Amino acid sequence: RDGEPSSYILTAAHVIADATRVEVVTADGSRVDAEVIELDSMTDLAIIEVPLRRPGLTFAAKTPAPGTHVCALGHPFGLPLSMSCGIVSGSLRSNLGFNAVELFVQTDAAVNPGVSGGALVSADGRLVGMISAIFTKDADIDAGVNFAVSVGLIEQWSRKFSASEP
């Protein structure tokens, strides 16, 4: 958080929920094993830990308004370190049926398989959400209606997580 180095990584719970082993690929292509620290399917949030310390993203101060420029970071279809940009289409969406607890930022930035758990960042590089869901009808492809768990929900959840740490 706030750019401070950390060995913790936030990701989508559905990405690692059934994994028997979690591996992280760093920007330089190195591979390191990660340990699942916390997994919450109700919010689709998970924390993993790696034996490295890297700077974190600074959280946005507030949920961006519709029309705000954002970019989704991830690995669509296995393509490393990809970014797609668009706008916030809606703020604080809930009751969509993806997760038991929802507070999403909706975006039209292209989100395809492999982007789940990636960051949704503002034009100045601040975290506004974590990619969680795409709305599709017949195929697992981007339809321009994509959802990121909002920073507000991430902060609420991480305070609960931090309080439970020894």
Side-chain angles (χ1 to χ4, degrees):
R1 173 164 169 97
D2 293 331
E4 293 181 26
S6 176
S7 58
Y8 295 107
I9 299 172
L10 177 72
T11 191
H14 75 267
V15 171
I16 61 170
D18 296 326
T20 56
R21 178 173 173 253
V22 178
E23 183 180 69
V24 171
V25 179
T26 65
D28 68 5
S30 301
R31 295 175 179 273
V32 295
D33 286 329
E35 178 184 353
V36 177
I37 301 298
E38 185 74 23
L39 190 140
D40 181 14
S41 60
M42 303 254 314
T43 57
D44 195 30
L45 293 171
I47 295 176
I48 59 176
E49 186 175 16
V50 294
L52 306 168
R53 292 181 62 80
R54 297 284 198 261
L57 293 172
T58 299
F59 284 24
K62 60 183 181 177
T63 302
T68 302
H69 187 263
V70 290
C71 295
L73 310 175
H75 295 252
F77 302 110
L79 297 169
L81 300 174
S82 295
M83 173 174 37
S84 64
C85 299
I87 62 165
V88 170
S89 307
S91 296
L92 306 178
R93 302 275 195 217
S94 60
N95 301 315
L96 301 173
F98 291 110
N99 304 327
V101 177
E102 296 176 341
L103 195 56
F104 289 125
V105 174
Q106 180 183 334
T107 182
D108 70 350
V111 173
N112 288 293
V115 181
S116 287
L120 183 67
V121 298
S122 61
D124 63 357
R126 294 181 184 274
L127 183 73
V128 299
M130 187 220 44
I131 303 298
S132 180
I134 61 176
F135 181 80
T136 61
K137 287 290 187 183
D138 298 322
D140 195 16
I141 57 170
D142 176 47
V145 183
N146 309 299
F147 301 95
V149 175
S150 70
V151 162
L153 183 56
I154 292 168
E155 287 180 319
Q156 288 174 19
W157 183 79
S158 63
R159 278 194 297 271
K160 182 180 86 168
F161 165 72
S162 297
S164 67
E165 284 289 287

